[in-house]
Amino acid sequence: MHDITIIWILLPFVIGFSIYLLPQIDRYLALLVFSASLGFGTVQIFQPEPYQLHLLDSFGVTLQVSGQSGYFILTNALVAIAIILYCFNSPKSAFFFTQLTILHGAVNAVFICADLMSLYVALEAIGVSAFLLMIYQRTDRSIWVGLRYLFISNTAMLFFLIGAVQVYQANNSFAYAGLANAPIEAIALLFIGLLTKGGIFVSGLWLPLTHSESETPVSAMLSGVVVKAGIFPLMQFALLVDSINPIVRLFGMGTALLGVSYAVFEKDSKRMLAFHTVSQLGFVLAAPAVGGFYALSHGLVKSVLFLLAGNLPSRNFKELKKTGIATNLWIPLAIASLSISGMPLLAGYSAKVLILKNIESWQEIGMNLAAVGTAISFSKFLFLPHSPELKGKAFSTNNWGFWAAIALLLGGLFITNGFYLDAYKLSNFPKALITIAIGWGAYWLIFQKLSIKLPRVVEQFEHLVGAMSLVLTGLFWMVWA
């Protein structure tokens, strides 16, 4: 298994650069890499025990593959395959598929890292390849959004690197296990790097603009997979060091509430989805030991929603309510919205039950409020008027790849629903259905009538850097306390 792991982790980089030499089969080569990850990730979910590969013992450079890794790798594979299908008939060049394949490999590397230096290299590779995908359109707007992301990402990684060096000084090792003996300032610096990279709490408010303004397939990849590279290490830290666990849970609850607070008032469909990504990352962190399954269900839902939202006649919910949408787009939109709201028979239900059963008592009110907020937010899609006579954009209606991508992601929601069958005890149904009913009722009675526009000042470039400083100060206070 060790040899297979090494081959699998190197494959995206070897094939990725080979795509330049064989541009005629770029899509097929990328599909080969993602299919290999699909098989590898599925096997790891059912592995009874995690296993490690010690690459450089003297520096603590180690890989660790576990069941949690398997969920994240499977998410990465399914979303990446969907993106390839979506773009199959598009005129995108070999450059796009090269970057997509390298991004896929770098994200996979994060999911099996067990040391800070490997993690730093993988996160930097993610930052560069994600930036190149964001600016692929070469418009002024896309270049500005990409540069903004790159600056925030690199600043965060500078904090992370300083923290990683301090951990090495204390332990003579970069291994995650050294965090237990690391100085408190190192923990704070590592946290601010990962919180920012993962789009968590106020230090992650770069995310809504970046994800909503990127090209549709890039938005799907960023929200479905890439941001999870920032939160996976935080989950690992929480499981390794008891004192870190409550801090991660606290940030999880705060992020879930912050993201959903913006999402319920947002009138732009892509921005609503992006804010909701922030909220759902909070759910993953709220119960670190079982967050992998939730990350999988969220990755599938959010990717399909971004692919659909990019093919609606307008981004504005008010205009969509006036014009309506095509029924063939509304049906998958409704299935995905029901899943993320927690409706039984879909993966979102099982994942939400699993998370809510593993939170601490002090998290219950906050997480249940966030669950209601989720149902309110996605009522905006569910209750859109629709008609079979209306048509979507030409790309969606005439492209088999679009429908294949949607079918793959929605099929994943039904199949992976079986990963946690204990959710289907009768005692779990009332709470899930009542939460959804309250959310839909609140939308009809209150929120659809409100016209509140939240200020975007906190998303401005200079304020993002300021928010990072504030969170870092707060982290120092928390780890000292």
Side-chain angles (χ1 to χ4, degrees):
M1 198 65 195
H2 290 188
D3 291 340
I4 293 174
T5 304
I6 296 294
I7 293 170
W8 165 75
I9 199 66
L10 292 176
L11 189 66
F13 302 101
V14 175
I15 297 288
F17 289 112
S18 301
I19 288 175
Y20 274 122
L21 304 175
L22 300 165
Q24 302 87 349
I25 54 171
D26 47 12
R27 291 150 174 81
Y28 298 99
L29 289 174
L31 206 51
L32 172 69
V33 172
F34 304 155
S35 300
S37 292
L38 179 66
F40 186 85
T42 306
V43 169
Q44 302 316 315
I45 290 174
F46 299 102
Q47 257 320 344
E49 296 291 336
Y51 61 91
Q52 289 190 335
L53 286 78
H54 298 284
L55 302 182
L56 290 171
D57 270 347
S58 55
F59 294 98
V61 177
T62 307
L63 303 180
Q64 175 171 299
V65 186
S66 63
Q68 286 278 43
S69 307
Y71 285 113
F72 282 85
I73 294 165
L74 182 60
T75 309
N76 192 12
L78 286 170
V79 173
I81 290 173
I83 301 302
I84 287 291
L85 294 172
Y86 182 90
C87 299
F88 208 87
N89 291 329
S90 72
K92 294 194 182 304
S93 66
F95 177 82
F96 180 87
F97 294 102
T98 295
Q99 297 309 324
L100 189 64
T101 306
I102 291 172
L103 178 63
H104 173 81
V107 172
N108 276 341
V110 169
F111 297 152
I112 62 169
C113 279
D115 72 277
L116 299 170
M117 189 46 65
S118 302
L119 178 60
Y120 173 77
V121 173
L123 288 174
E124 285 288 27
I126 289 170
V128 173
S129 50
F131 164 73
L132 292 172
L133 285 172
M134 285 176 202
I135 65 167
Y136 180 78
Q137 293 176 296
R138 300 293 192 274
T139 61
D140 290 345
R141 180 69 171 168
S142 67
I143 291 171
W144 158 242
V145 170
L147 287 172
R148 176 178 175 270
Y149 165 80
L150 195 63
F151 180 86
I152 297 295
S153 174
N154 283 352
T155 305
M157 292 315 298
L158 180 61
F159 286 126
F160 180 91
L161 182 60
I162 296 170
V165 170
Q166 290 185 323
V167 172
Y168 183 81
Q169 285 180 326
N171 300 280
N172 289 323
S173 170
F174 287 110
Y176 287 171
L179 291 170
N181 304 316
I184 53 176
E185 58 269 26
I187 302 290
L189 290 165
L190 292 171
F191 256 66
I192 190 62
L194 294 174
L195 290 174
T196 305
K197 196 80 178 177
I200 300 300
F201 205 52
V202 294
S203 54
L205 286 176
W206 57 268
L207 186 153
L209 176 67
T210 306
H211 288 202
S212 62
E213 295 300 323
S214 296
E215 198 181 1
T216 294
V218 178
S219 295
M221 190 70 185
L222 294 175
S223 255
V225 175
V226 175
V227 286
K228 295 180 176 68
I231 62 170
F232 182 79
L234 289 171
M235 295 167 61
Q236 301 300 99
F237 295 175
L239 298 178
L240 279 172
V241 184
D242 289 342
S243 60
I244 291 178
N245 193 296
I247 299 175
V248 171
R249 286 176 180 269
L250 181 62
F251 271 105
M253 188 180 73
T255 305
L257 290 171
L258 176 73
V260 85
S261 301
Y262 275 90
V264 295
F265 293 109
E266 187 55 60
K267 307 301 181 191
D268 180 300
S269 59
K270 289 189 76 172
R271 280 179 58 82
M272 190 278 279
L273 291 175
F275 273 117
H276 208 270
T277 293
V278 174
S279 173
Q280 295 296 289
L281 294 173
F283 271 85
V284 177
L285 288 181
V290 296
F293 182 32
Y294 201 94
L296 170 63
S297 78
H298 170 256
L300 299 178
V301 164
K302 200 48 64 72
S303 302
V304 76
L305 286 171
F306 264 110
L307 294 182
L308 289 164
N311 287 279
L312 294 177
S314 169
R315 286 175 53 165
N316 189 298
F317 279 114
K318 281 188 177 178
E319 291 181 17
L320 291 173
K321 286 176 76 173
K322 289 178 183 173
T323 61
I325 62 173
T327 299
N328 61 358
L329 289 178
W330 179 82
I331 291 172
L333 206 54
I335 294 172
S337 298
L338 288 171
S339 177
I340 204 166
S341 299
M343 184 63 78
L345 300 181
L346 294 161
Y349 164 76
S350 308
K352 196 156 282 182
V353 169
L354 183 61
I355 286 289
L356 294 178
K357 280 186 175 297
N358 285 275
I359 56 176
E360 302 287 349
S361 56
W362 56 268
Q363 294 176 288
E364 286 184 3
I365 294 176
M367 297 310 297
N368 282 303
L369 281 175
V372 172
T374 300
I376 296 171
S377 304
F378 286 93
S379 297
K380 298 173 192 175
F381 281 130
L382 277 169
F383 296 113
L384 282 177
H386 54 90
S387 166
E389 296 175 0
L390 295 171
K391 301 293 182 186
K393 290 182 180 178
F395 182 75
S396 65
T397 53
N398 300 326
N399 191 325
W400 66 264
F402 171 80
W403 293 112
I406 299 301
L408 174 70
L409 295 169
L410 292 183
L413 288 176
F414 284 104
I415 294 170
T416 59
N417 180 46
F419 283 176
Y420 182 59
L421 291 175
D422 284 350
Y424 285 92
K425 292 178 180 173
L426 281 178
S427 57
N428 293 325
F429 288 114
K431 184 177 179 181
L433 295 176
I434 290 170
T435 300
I436 293 172
I438 293 173
W440 289 357
Y443 172 74
W444 271 104
L445 297 173
I446 304 171
F447 287 94
Q448 72 163 341
K449 299 172 184 173
L450 295 179
S451 183
I452 298 174
K453 190 173 182 179
L454 296 180
R456 298 188 180 185
V457 63
V458 291
E459 296 178 63
Q460 290 177 1
F461 184 63
E462 58 272 29
H463 293 156
L464 293 174
V465 179
M468 256 197 284
S469 306
L470 287 174
V471 174
L472 183 61
T473 306
L475 281 167
F476 273 114
W477 176 77
M478 290 172 76
V479 294
W480 257 315

